[in-house]
Amino acid sequence: MFSEALSLLPDSSAVLAIGKPRGEKSLFAHQFLEEGIRRKESVIYVVSNTFPESAMQRFVHDAKGMRNFRVIDCYTLHSGINKIDESMVLRVSGPYALNEISILLTRLLRSMRKPFRIVFDSLSTFLLHNKLNIIQEFLELNIMKL
């Protein structure tokens, strides 16, 4: 079902999936990321509502194919657990740290090969911690980087 929708997405596009909580948005996002990994594209997964280790379990089938896979973790430090960055996981202080996230995205976009796939999971969490107009500016700025 989702694979047909994924093939219809034009290159260099940004997609916002809107729906009820616990809907199929995450399934769509995960299939989008898996397709990028399969194609050996650079994949950036911005996680804001769960520990990155939980989120990554779906994707770590083939460590070789994960060379261009990075996670920006907006959850762990915010939850009060102190962890340092790892090779695949880069941590920011929380979903309110939009400048930190933007800086990391810029650094990753410069260091990773093209094309890119970036998924924010979940934008709802960012909206809980930031004003709507701030999120809009953040997304516009970072979409332009791509």
Side-chain angles (χ1 to χ4, degrees), residues 84-135:
I84 59 171
D85 290 352
E86 301 166 18
S87 60
M88 285 180 21
V89 180
L90 306 165
R91 302 184 200 283
V92 298
S93 53
Y96 47 80
L98 299 180
N99 285 337
E100 288 179 58
I101 297 165
S102 190
I103 290 167
L104 273 180
L105 282 172
T106 300
R107 194 172 90 204
L108 289 172
L109 292 173
R110 287 183 182 153
S111 67
M112 297 172 80
R113 68 173 190 238
K114 293 180 181 178
F116 295 98
R117 290 181 185 232
I118 300 175
V119 167
F120 285 81
D121 189 12
S122 137
L123 200 53
S124 301
T125 305
F126 289 99
L127 289 167
L128 289 173
H129 295 277
N130 301 278
K131 293 184 178 181
L132 179 58
N133 64 324
I134 302 296
I135 292 292

Side-chain angles (χ1 to χ4, degrees), residues 16-31:
L16 177 62
I18 300 173
K20 295 177 183 176
R22 304 281 181 221
E24 294 178 332
K25 302 179 304 285
S26 288
L27 180 59
F28 179 80
H30 295 154
Q31 287 186 355

Side-chain angles (χ1 to χ4, degrees), residues 75-90:
Y75 185 79
T76 302
L77 298 177
H78 181 66
S79 69
I81 298 171
N82 201 7
K83 285 191 173 183
I84 59 171
D85 290 352
E86 301 166 18
S87 60
M88 285 180 21
V89 180
L90 306 165

Side-chain angles (χ1 to χ4, degrees), residues 3-70:
S3 58
E4 296 87 31
L6 290 173
S7 64
L8 296 175
L9 296 175
D11 289 344
S12 302
S13 63
V15 176
L16 177 62
I18 300 173
K20 295 177 183 176
R22 304 281 181 221
E24 294 178 332
K25 302 179 304 285
S26 288
L27 180 59
F28 179 80
H30 295 154
Q31 287 186 355
F32 179 73
L33 290 175
E34 286 175 346
E35 180 66 14
I37 292 167
R38 189 184 67 71
R39 292 181 180 199
K40 308 260 188 278
E41 297 174 352
S42 294
V43 172
I44 301 171
Y45 189 28
V46 184
V47 179
S48 63
N49 60 357
T50 188
F51 291 105
E53 295 79 9
S54 300
M56 289 169 49
Q57 284 178 347
R58 298 176 184 97
F59 306 109
V60 186
H61 331 287
D62 176 19
K64 206 170 165 186
M66 303 301 281
R67 194 173 321 166
N68 291 308
F69 182 87
R70 297 293 179 274

